[in-house]
Amino acid sequence: MSTVDVRQLPDLSSDYPLSPAQIAQYRETGHILLRGVCTPEEARVYREVILDATMRNNRETRPLEERDTYGKAFLQVMNLWSGDEGVKKFTLARRFGHIAAQLMEVDRVRLYHDQALFKEPGGGHTPWHQDQFYWPLDTPSTVTMWMPLVDIDATMGSMSFADASNANGFIPTPNEISDESEQFFGDYVAEKGFKVSGGGAMAAGDATFHSGWCLHRAPGNTTQRVREVMTVIYYPDGTRIAEPKNEFQKADHQVWLNSIAAGQVADGPLNPVVYL
């Protein structure tokens, strides 16, 4: 548990209103980059909290050369908010939930889970994939916030997206994030002629938001600095649980959704309302 005084952490409850043009852009492409979602000072303070929690909870100790493609992509530590009051204040922030609500065009938003994604120096690429491949949620309207806690650019692994690739929902593939998904979806993006955008520089506190069905990837980290990123996943309140379609969704159903029966509302103890 962090020793930080939570009362001294910056308040993240203020609104971040989006324009109709920004909402339309997200609706059209399935993703959007928003500048200054956190101020530089807010990003600095919460970076210290999230970095501390991530390092305390990280269980990956193998050198990069001993890991598979997924393992080389990043250190991944999930659900930090449930064990750290400082991270909780970040993950459950009303400001972020409000942005998610605007993009999904709903009134109430729940948390699915958070995860730190730290791409180490020399860390590998993150293959093409769809996030919602892993989630047994019966809705097309999920959104992930991806926020760097340090300044980044393409040499550190900033994100690229296939514009409008979310339009048809799930793209049938048996492959999780892997070399196979990189090949399969790389060919798919080329075949469909999707424009690939993003991948540029982001300041600490900027954030991308993308649909759960939007194809995305990131290159490796060729620098000597860690790409420190925090992500938070949201879905509309009232969403029901789908019958799990693969082993990953079965695991998520147990871990994040409290094994609530398929067809019931996804409102377990780890899925609080973060905006209403």
Side-chain angles (χ1 to χ4, degrees), residues 143-161:
V143 64
T144 297
M145 180 184 79
W146 192 94
M147 180 182 288
L149 305 173
V150 294
D151 295 346
I152 67 166
D153 59 21
T155 64
M156 292 183 74
S158 58
M159 292 255 275
S160 294
F161 304 91

Side-chain angles (χ1 to χ4, degrees), residues 35 38 47 50 64 73 87-88 92 98 142 153 158 160-161 185-186 190 209 244 254:
R35 300 292 186 183
C38 281
R47 172 188 177 265
I50 293 167
L64 281 168
V87 179
K88 182 178 181 179
L92 304 189
H98 179 223
T142 60
D153 59 21
S158 58
S160 294
F161 304 91
F185 286 125
F209 288 76
Q254 294 176 0

Side-chain angles (χ1 to χ4, degrees), residues 26-47:
Y26 177 82
R27 190 187 303 136
E28 178 181 350
T29 64
H31 66 92
I32 192 168
L33 166 61
L34 300 176
R35 300 292 186 183
V37 173
C38 281
T39 67
E41 178 62 13
E42 289 168 344
R44 183 192 67 78
V45 172
Y46 279 105
R47 172 188 177 265

Side-chain angles (χ1 to χ4, degrees), residues 3-102:
T3 58
V4 67
D5 184 349
V6 177
R7 296 169 299 180
Q8 300 302 313
L9 291 174
D11 177 67
L12 299 176
S13 64
S14 60
D15 286 341
Y16 188 107
L18 302 182
S19 69
Q22 288 174 312
I23 295 170
Q25 176 189 333
Y26 177 82
R27 190 187 303 136
E28 178 181 350
T29 64
H31 66 92
I32 192 168
L33 166 61
L34 300 176
R35 300 292 186 183
V37 173
C38 281
T39 67
E41 178 62 13
E42 289 168 344
R44 183 192 67 78
V45 172
Y46 279 105
R47 172 188 177 265
E48 296 176 3
V49 172
I50 293 167
L51 176 61
D52 175 68
T54 300
M55 293 299 98
R56 281 187 288 106
N57 288 281
N58 173 52
R59 299 295 178 263
E60 178 59 84
T61 59
R62 296 172 298 168
L64 281 168
E65 59 269 20
E66 294 182 10
R67 306 181 210 167
D68 62 11
T69 296
Y70 188 94
K72 291 175 181 176
F74 38 61
L75 297 177
Q76 181 180 34
V77 186
M78 299 183 178
N79 223 36
L80 287 171
W81 76 273
S82 66
D84 188 285
E85 289 298 313
V87 179
K88 182 178 181 179
K89 192 167 182 179
F90 180 93
T91 297
L92 304 189
R94 180 185 179 279
R95 184 187 303 166
F96 309 152
H98 179 223
I99 294 173
Q102 292 174 89

